[in-house]
Amino acid sequence: MIKITDDIMEEYRKRAEKLENDFFSYEAILLIFRYFKTYKKFILSVYKAGLAYIYLDLFDQELENHMGDMPYNDIHRYKVYFYSGALYNVFLKWLQNGMKEHPSAMASMVTEMLEQGAYPLA
């Protein structure tokens, strides 16, 4: 399982490098949801095994790498985890509901929430 997850994340990183350096853009969020959809059988089996938290750790690591070093008392550090947890929970709900919405619809919803200030990251 770890090998498959590592392979999925490595492929994701390669594609994400081609995007603008904005982890919070529509395109970056769309890429995440497309990957979830592509690997839904594997991710669903991880979820059913009670190991879905692995993806929260991966979100956290990716955001930490993207944001770089920050002082531990910096509010932006906590905003990273706030965003990561929100995206993780949206993904889990989407997974539980059978991924009925298209990845672009999910990316639009998350982007809209960000733009409305539901999860301010600036």
Side-chain angles (χ1 to χ4, degrees):
M1 179 180 76
I2 292 172
K3 174 72 171 126
I4 295 170
T5 300
D6 287 345
D7 290 348
I8 291 170
M9 289 307 298
E10 184 58 33
E11 186 177 338
Y12 166 78
R13 284 182 198 104
K14 286 179 184 176
R15 292 188 184 216
E17 285 176 0
K18 297 175 185 174
L19 298 173
E20 293 179 21
N21 197 23
D22 184 2
F23 199 85
F24 312 105
S25 69
Y26 170 83
E27 291 79 17
I29 296 167
L30 177 60
L31 178 61
I32 292 168
F33 279 100
R34 283 182 175 160
Y35 264 79
F36 291 149
K37 185 101 175 170
T38 300
Y39 297 103
K40 68 182 175 183
K41 286 184 181 181
F42 173 74
I43 295 171
L44 188 56
S45 65
V46 169
Y47 171 76
K48 288 181 178 179
L51 301 172
Y53 66 87
I54 290 170
Y55 288 94
L56 178 58
D57 291 342
L58 291 172
F59 287 166
D60 288 346
Q61 289 172 11
E62 288 300 313
L63 283 168
E64 287 171 359
N65 291 339
H66 175 77
M67 298 302 284
D69 291 333
M70 290 180 284
Y72 282 99
N73 63 348
D74 188 333
I75 191 168
H76 288 86
R77 173 175 294 282
Y78 294 102
K79 287 181 180 182
V80 164
Y81 298 111
F82 187 81
Y83 173 75
S84 178
L87 188 58
Y88 170 79
N89 280 303
V90 169
F91 162 68
L92 280 183
K93 190 51 70 179
W94 186 53
L95 179 69
Q96 291 169 342
N97 291 336
M99 296 181 172
K100 294 174 186 160
E101 297 88 356
H102 192 273
S104 62
M106 295 304 299
S108 291
M109 282 190 263
V110 171
T111 302
E112 184 177 334
M113 285 186 279
L114 289 171
E115 289 171 354
Q116 291 176 354
Y119 304 103
L121 296 167

